Amino acid sequence: LPQAKYKERGTVLAEDQLAQMSKQLDMFKTNLEEFASKHKQEIRKNPQFRVQFQDMCATIGVDPLASGKGFWSEMLGVGDFYYELGVQIIEVCLALKHRNGGLITLEELHQQVLKGRGKFAQDVSQDDLLRAIKKLKVLGNGFGIIPVGGTYLIQSVPAELNMDHTVVLQLAEKKGYVTVSEIRSSLKWETERAKQVLEHLLKEGMAWLDTQAAGEPQYWLPALFTELYSQEITPEEAKEAIP
Amino acid sequence: RFDNGILLLSTHRLIWRDQKNHECCIAVPLSQIVFIEEQAAGIGKSAKIVVHLHPASSNKEPGPFQSSKYSYIKLSFKEHGQIEFYRRLSEEITQRRWENMPAAQNVQVNKSPQVRRIRAVGIVGIERKLEEKRKETDKNISEAFEDLSKLMEKAKEMVELSKSIANKIKEKQGDITEDETIRFKSYLLSMGIANPVTRETYGSGTHYHMQLAKQLAGILQTPLEERGGIMSLTEVYCLVNRARGLELLSPEDLVNACKMLESLKLPLRLRIFDSGVMVIELQSHNEEEMVASALETVSEKGSLTADEFAKLVGMSVLLAKERLLLAEKMGHLCRDDSVEGLRFYPNLFMTQS
C-alpha cells in the first residue's frame, strides 16, 4: 500500500512543502537571473532604485544583505557593494576615532568615504552608508546610528550611550557645543544629571571642554566641527585604520 | 528671502507669491527658460526643480534682483508637489503656448520675433536631446520597477511558504530529518529570509557556514600569530574581505561562521567580552595569562591608559582596553575614571593585603 502522504485533515506535510520550496527556489533563481541581466546596472548606478529595492525587500520580509551567499547578493551584486562599503566605513571611523572619540556625522563620513573610494568609483549615497552600517552592528564593535537635527551621528566604538547621552548630543548638534545651563533650561534637568552626562562624553573623548569660553564652560563635540570636514586623513591615521 | 510661498504655473509665466505677504509676488516668463531638471529629495533636503534661464534682457521688468551671477533658479518643495509640478512645467515648456497667445497683461516684448527664433534653434536641439534622454531613463526605470514588483511578488510567495514550513516543523507535522532541516536553513539563507524557528537571521549554521569556518581557520592562523593571538571581529571582517576582493562575506556570514569554530574543533574560537566586543582568539591564546603580563607592564609604568598601553604593547586600542578591563574584573587593576580619561593602576588592595 502506498504510504499515506497526508494526515487525516488533508494538510500537506512539511517535507512535501520542502520539496515544493526547493522547486520554487530554482524557479525564483531563474527569474532573478533574468531580472539581473536586464537591470543589474540600474541597481549599481541608481541610488534611488537601490532605496526602492531595499524597501520592497523589507516589506516582504527579505534581507538581501544577510549573506554573501544569498541569491540577491550573488546575482545582483548588491552584497559586494555594501560589504565593501562596510570595510571603507570601518577604516574611516578607525582613522578618525582619536579626533572625535568615535562619533562622526553622516556627512563627514560620506565625504571621507567618497574621497577614499577615488574619482572613478561607483557613487554612494548617504542611504547606502546607513544600510551598510546597520549590517556592521552585528560585528559587536559598537556601531550605532543616532538621529540628531536633520541628520545622523554615527557611533563606532562600544561606548555605552543611553537616552540621556543621545538627547544631549541632539541638543549640542545645533551649535556644535552645549553648556550646563542650556541643558538645564531646555531639558529641565538638575545640574548633577547634566554634569554626569557631559563628563561621560568627555571621558569617551566625544566631547572637549572649553573652559576659556565667555560665561560658562562649553562642551564641544569634535564630530561637529565643520572646520575639520575637509581635513584629509593623515598617513599616521590611515595606518591606525589597518592594523 | 523667498522662503514660504505658493508657486503658480500659467501658460506664460512661473509665478511665486509669498504666503504671508500677499503683496509680494514675483514671476519669470516661461520664454526665459532654457531647460529644467529635477533634484531628488535626500536626508534633510527637500526635492527641487532647477530652472535654467536665458540671460536677462536689457529691458527686463524690475524685480528682486537686477542681475545675478547664476544662470538658474532653484525651486524647493518643502512639503510636496515637486513631481506633479515638474510634469506640468515640462508640458508647458514643450507646448510653448505663450508663443501663440499674446498675454492680456504687460508682457515684455523684448526682441523681434526673428532674433528670438535664431536663439531658440540651438537651444531647442539641446532641450530635445535632454528630453529624449530623460524619457529613455524614465522608461528604463519604470520598466525596472515593474519587473522588480513582479519579482517581489514571487519572493513574497517564498516567504509565505517558508513560514508555513517552519510552523509545521514546530508542531512536528511530518518527520523532518536533520539533513532536511539543514536544507531548509540553506534555502532561507539563499532567499535572505530570517529563520522563523529561531528568529535569528544569523546563527543558522548551514553547510556554507561550516565550510566558511574551516576556511577562516586557515586564513587567520598567521595574522593571529602576528597580532599576539587575538583580533577583533571588525579587523577580521576587513582583512578577509580585502583579501577576497570579490564575493565578499556579509558581517552575518562572518559571525555565523565564527560561532561554529569551537564546535568544529578548529584552532580558533570566538569570544565575546562583557562590552559586547567580539574577538577571534587562537585556541592556544590565553587572555587571562596575558592579563598577568599586562599587570607587570602597568606596574612598571605606575599607571596606564588604554591608549598608552596599546602603544607600548603594539595592540589596537580596542583590544588593549578590553585586556585592561578584564584585568580589572579579575581584581589585578583598579581604575581612576576622571575627565582626563580612564587610567588603570595596579590594585594595591589585592597585593598588599
Side-chain angles (χ1 to χ4, degrees):
Chain A
L1 275 173
Q3 299 260 340
K5 280 250 171 186
Y6 293 83
K7 289 175 72 171
E8 303 122 31
R9 273 185 283 150
T11 49
V12 184
L13 295 174
E15 55 262 34
D16 292 324
Q17 279 197 316
L18 210 57
Q20 183 191 355
M21 187 166 184
S22 173
K23 264 198 248 154
Q24 274 189 252
L25 209 67
D26 282 336
M27 260 183 48
F28 183 80
K29 195 171 173 191
T30 312
N31 288 330
L32 187 54
E33 270 168 353
E34 206 188 305
F35 180 84
S37 66
K38 287 205 286 187
H39 304 297
K40 189 170 175 176
Q41 286 308 313
E42 209 57 60
I43 293 203
R44 226 175 53 83
K45 292 201 172 142
N46 190 335
Q48 288 285 46
F49 194 67
R50 278 200 290 280
V51 171
Q52 275 287 358
F53 169 74
Q54 296 271 21
D55 284 347
M56 285 173 119
C57 284
T59 305
I60 63 171
V62 154
D63 182 0
L65 300 182
S67 171
K69 203 67 183 157
F71 286 160
W72 309 97
S73 181
E74 284 187 327
M75 276 174 251
L76 293 178
V78 269
D80 279 5
F81 175 83
Y82 285 99
Y83 307 148
E84 186 185 5
L85 193 51
V87 172
Q88 292 162 346
I89 291 169
I90 290 172
E91 289 177 348
V92 166
C93 288
L94 273 180
L96 297 177
K97 189 174 70 168
H98 75 100
R99 282 194 214 168
N100 55 33
L103 269 189
I104 187 171
T105 59
L106 185 59
E107 277 77 22
E108 188 181 357
L109 180 61
H110 191 205
Q111 280 185 19
Q112 296 283 11
V113 165
L114 286 176
K115 262 191 233 163
R117 286 168 71 91
K119 274 189 276 218
F120 303 106
Q122 179 62 48
D123 190 22
V124 298
S125 67
Q126 288 185 355
D127 182 83
D128 292 329
L129 289 177
L130 288 175
R131 292 187 196 272
I133 292 167
K134 285 191 186 130
K135 285 288 138 194
L136 291 177
K137 281 188 183 190
V138 85
L139 295 175
N141 213 55
F143 269 94
I145 300 175
I146 303 169
V148 294
T151 175
Y152 299 91
L153 280 176
I154 307 301
Q155 177 186 357
S156 60
V157 291
E160 205 212 282
L161 293 182
N162 58 30
M163 281 297 297
D164 273 8
H165 303 121
T166 307
V167 142
V168 167
L169 289 175
Q170 288 167 342
L171 197 57
E173 189 266 342
K174 301 192 181 88
K175 293 183 288 179
Y177 71 89
V178 76
T179 61
V180 173
S181 320
E182 278 167 6
I183 295 179
R184 283 173 50 108
S185 61
S186 299
L187 304 175
K188 312 277 182 265
W189 286 1
E190 304 287 317
T191 305
E192 194 47 49
R193 186 175 173 187
K195 282 204 163 156
Q196 262 196 15
V197 167
L198 293 169
E199 273 179 18
H200 182 79
L201 294 176
L202 281 178
K203 285 179 199 174
E204 292 295 340
M206 294 174 177
W208 292 356
L209 184 55
D210 179 9
T211 47
Q212 313 222 313
E216 61 177 302
Q218 294 173 343
Y219 295 78
W220 287 80
L221 301 190
L224 301 172
F225 290 174
T226 38
E227 306 90 79
L228 288 179
Y229 270 16
S230 30
Q231 275 199 15
E232 300 286 331
I233 293 181
T234 66
E236 292 80 45
E237 288 170 331
K239 252 199 295 176
E240 173 66 34
I242 313 177
Chain B
R1 291 225 103 258
F2 302 97
D3 253 350
N4 198 353
I6 301 198
L7 196 59
L8 304 161
L9 176 65
S10 79
T11 50
H12 289 66
R13 297 182 294 169
L14 200 54
I15 303 165
W16 184 90
R17 174 194 274 150
D18 195 320
Q19 207 155 39
K20 294 206 185 109
N21 173 15
H22 287 245
E23 305 269 45
C24 174
C25 194
I26 54 177
V28 162
L30 296 185
S31 54
Q32 285 295 102
I33 298 179
V34 177
F35 73 94
I36 60 173
E37 51 178 343
E38 292 185 279
Q39 274 184 4
I43 301 173
K45 280 196 299 221
S46 54
K48 296 184 174 60
I49 297 178
V50 184
V51 182
H52 295 263
L53 302 167
H54 287 294
S57 66
S58 45
N59 62 340
K60 87 169 186 75
E61 286 187 15
F65 299 100
Q66 264 311 102
S67 68
S68 167
K69 60 176 169 163
Y70 299 106
S71 63
Y72 60 85
I73 57 173
K74 281 195 187 181
L75 309 170
S76 170
F77 291 75
K78 293 231 153 63
E79 286 173 4
H80 47 252
Q82 184 256 2
I83 298 175
E84 258 314 288
F85 204 97
Y86 180 83
R87 191 171 71 79
R88 298 297 184 85
L89 184 53
S90 304
E91 272 173 28
E92 289 303 325
I93 296 175
T94 315
Q95 288 175 14
R96 306 181 79 88
R97 287 191 278 180
W98 65 85
E99 284 180 0
N100 308 325
M101 328 186 242
Q105 296 159 292
N106 255 353
V107 166
Q108 36 178 260
V109 180
N110 45 6
K111 321 173 187 359
S112 67
Q114 249 175 337
V115 174
R116 189 146 44 100
R117 202 147 290 141
I118 291 173
R119 236 226 203 113
V121 163
I123 300 294
V124 162
I126 297 176
E127 276 179 300
R128 225 171 252 146
K129 257 208 227 151
L130 283 171
E131 190 53 40
E132 270 169 30
K133 185 168 166 227
R134 248 192 304 277
K135 282 212 179 94
E136 186 64 35
T137 313
D138 281 350
K139 189 165 81 76
N140 285 342
I141 298 216
S142 51
E143 199 193 310
F145 274 128
E146 250 184 66
D147 288 347
L148 183 63
S149 303
K150 289 195 201 123
L151 194 70
M152 288 297 168
E153 279 304 311
K154 303 207 172 81
K156 192 168 172 192
E157 284 169 21
M158 305 286 297
V159 176
E160 296 305 318
L161 187 53
S162 71
K163 283 194 190 140
S164 173
I165 295 175
N167 279 333
K168 294 190 175 167
I169 292 180
K170 247 196 288 190
E171 290 163 33
K172 308 227 185 322
Q173 287 180 351
D175 276 319
I176 282 238
T177 66
E178 187 162 326
D179 229 28
E180 284 171 325
T181 307
I182 294 185
R183 257 174 61 207
F184 181 50
K185 284 182 182 170
S186 77
Y187 295 162
L188 296 179
L189 187 75
S190 298
M191 287 299 300
I193 300 172
N195 189 335
V197 179
T198 61
R199 296 240 168 274
E200 296 174 310
T201 38
Y202 48 91
S204 36
T206 65
H207 281 137
Y208 168 61
H209 295 115
M210 275 193 256
Q211 271 175 11
L212 196 48
K214 292 180 191 158
Q215 272 179 32
L216 286 172
I219 299 169
L220 296 175
Q221 184 75 26
T222 311
L224 278 169
E225 283 165 8
E226 288 170 354
R227 288 166 180 72
I230 184 170
M231 281 173 78
S232 76
L233 213 54
T234 30
E235 281 179 83
V236 172
Y237 177 78
C238 291
L239 190 104
V240 171
N241 274 341
R242 282 220 168 278
R244 285 185 152 221
L246 285 179
E247 290 185 12
L248 305 182
L249 300 183
S250 75
E252 282 166 60
D253 286 336
L254 184 60
V255 173
N256 280 349
C258 290
K259 285 187 174 173
M260 301 186 85
L261 288 171
E262 199 132 27
S263 61
L264 291 174
K265 309 237 187 302
L266 292 164
L268 326 172
R269 62 167 170 256
L270 175 69
R271 178 176 181 157
I272 306 178
F273 288 115
D274 292 342
S275 61
V277 170
M278 297 166 91
V279 297
I280 301 295
E281 298 178 323
L282 287 171
Q283 281 287 3
S284 57
H285 178 87
N286 188 330
E287 188 64 11
E288 279 71 8
E289 277 174 15
M290 305 307 291
V291 160
S293 84
L295 174 58
E296 272 182 41
T297 312
V298 174
S299 305
E300 271 172 43
K301 298 286 175 183
S303 72
L304 288 173
T305 63
D307 273 340
E308 292 164 354
F309 180 60
K311 275 209 184 71
L312 220 58
V313 174
M315 284 178 86
S316 71
V317 178
L318 183 78
L319 295 182
K321 188 167 179 187
E322 289 302 325
R323 186 164 294 172
L324 294 174
L325 287 172
L326 185 60
E328 182 193 29
K329 188 173 172 187
M330 289 167 66
H332 298 302
L333 296 176
C334 54
R335 65 168 62 191
D336 175 21
D337 210 353
S338 72
V339 294
E340 318 269 303
L342 179 57
R343 187 165 280 280
F344 291 90
Y345 292 80
N347 184 358
L348 299 175
F349 294 111
M350 279 265 287
T351 57
Q352 288 183 351
S353 52

